[in-house]
């Protein structure tokens, strides 16, 4: 016979209540049911859990160790139930560097008015899938190719690329920059979840050096200290201001196709509503880089982020 959760619950209840009778009253069952469960647990584990020689039951040595683990197991099971309950009242949207930038707050407000029974919660996860693979997000905002057949994606809009430079750098005094301007410096690149790669620069005009980083905080800290420059999506510029860091649009860099992604075999609740609402926000509020609009060749080079078009 395997150890059952009800056996562990009975054991913890007896220890907390002090007697079989009080444990039965706490659990709303008979004393005989409590006794049978404890006996079954002791038989399964092959050792006595409780000393019944006194009016108040006492734990044996093995029982003390078992009850400590039993409490942790029951806590984990309760946590799983809370996750399942939250999945019915929350729609969790993961992201790596920025959620939806300037659209984030408006989306949350619009969503709350349209779907008061399901909260829209943004969660940060610096992973390639924005928390999908890790199970902390139901949907994620993706700004880089997602070549994984387990997921499906839908395009919701585009964002232009912005450079991030130290405010003491001469580049910060310019309204817009080009890729060649950044190539003269060390470029900080998050190879795991960022949107910048060396493929953005021509083979004969690569940056003088690169520095690998992990996450937006390390990226911003390096840039503010003048140890590197960076390039990112407009949403990062909008959502992550930092003293010492200036953001400037990069006019000859291809725009970024912003997508929502989800598990193919586990469609989140109200997915279509979220996709439609996000698309409307991106369509009605063009990127603030519009006055520095990249050339047509750059605009045409935006490619889908992988998965099926929706």
């Amino acid at each position: 016979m395997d150890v059952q959760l009800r056996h562990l619950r009975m054991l913890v209840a007896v220890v907390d209540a002090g007697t079989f009778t009080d444990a039965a009253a706490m659990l709303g069952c008979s004393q005989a049911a409590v006794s049978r469960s404890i006996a079954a647990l002791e038989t399964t584990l092959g050792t006595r859990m409780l000393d019944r020689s006194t009016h108040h039951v006492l734990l044996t040595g093995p029982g003390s160790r078992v009850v400590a683990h039993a409490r942790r197991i029951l806590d984990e099971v309760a946590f799983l139930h809370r996750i399942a309950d939250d999945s019915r009242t929350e729609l969790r949207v993961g992201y790596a560097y920025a959620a939806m930038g300037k659209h984030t707050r408006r989306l949350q407000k619009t969503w709350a008015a349209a779907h008061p029974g399901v909260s829209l919660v943004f969660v940060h996860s610096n992973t390639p899938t924005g928390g999908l693979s890790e199970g902390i997000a139901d949907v994620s905002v993706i700004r880089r190719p997602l070549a994984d057949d387990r997921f499906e994606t839908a395009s919701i809009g585009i964002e232009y690329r912005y450079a991030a430079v130290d405010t003491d750098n001469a580049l910060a005094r310019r309204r817009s920059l080009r890729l060649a301007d950044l190539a003269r410096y060390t470029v900080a690149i998050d190879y795991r979840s960022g949107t910048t790669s060396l493929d953005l620069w021509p083979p004969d005009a690569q940056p003088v050096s690169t520095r690998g980083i992990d996450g937006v905080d390390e990226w911003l800290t390096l840039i503010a200290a003048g140890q590197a420059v960076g390039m990112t999506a407009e949403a990062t510029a909008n959502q992550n201001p930092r003293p010492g860091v200036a953001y400037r649009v990069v006019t000859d860099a291809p725009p970024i196709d912003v997508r929502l992604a989800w598990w193919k075999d586990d469609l989140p609740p109200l997915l279509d509503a979220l996709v439609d609402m996000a698309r409307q926000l991106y369509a009605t509020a063009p990127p603030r880089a519009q006055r520095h609009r990249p050339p047509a060749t750059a605009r045409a080079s935006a490619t889908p982020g992988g998965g099926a078009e929706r």
Side-chain angles (χ1 to χ4, degrees), residues 128-141:
T129 64
L132 276 182
S133 295
E134 295 71 28
I136 68 170
D138 304 305
V139 187
S140 64
V141 183

Side-chain angles (χ1 to χ4, degrees), residues 173-306:
R173 296 195 290 270
R174 296 166 55 178
R175 294 181 60 194
S176 63
L177 300 173
R178 298 177 66 82
L179 287 166
D181 298 322
L182 302 178
R184 301 197 300 268
Y185 299 88
T186 296
V187 178
I189 297 179
D190 187 335
Y191 293 101
R192 186 175 183 222
S193 59
T195 56
T196 300
S197 71
L198 291 177
D199 293 338
L200 293 170
W201 284 268
D204 58 348
Q206 297 277 295
V208 294
S209 64
T210 61
R211 180 162 178 170
I213 56 93
D214 182 20
V216 66
D217 190 66
E218 182 182 354
W219 184 77
L220 288 168
T221 300
L222 277 173
I223 294 167
Q227 297 173 356
V229 299
M231 187 159 56
T232 188
E234 180 182 350
T236 305
N238 211 291
Q239 202 163 323
N240 292 282
R242 174 69 67 92
V245 175
Y247 291 100
R248 299 292 182 266
V249 65
V250 181
T251 58
D252 60 344
I256 294 170
D257 182 34
V258 185
R259 290 180 164 259
L260 292 180
W262 58 91
W263 288 89
K264 280 184 178 179
D265 59 358
D266 187 18
L267 267 64
L270 299 172
L271 174 63
D272 288 339
L274 178 63
V275 172
D276 290 343
M277 198 174 290
R279 282 175 172 166
Q280 290 173 20
L281 288 174
Y282 272 90
T284 57
R288 67 181 181 184
Q290 195 77 19
R291 63 180 181 274
H292 301 299
R293 192 174 181 83
T297 54
R299 295 199 301 273
S301 63
T303 56

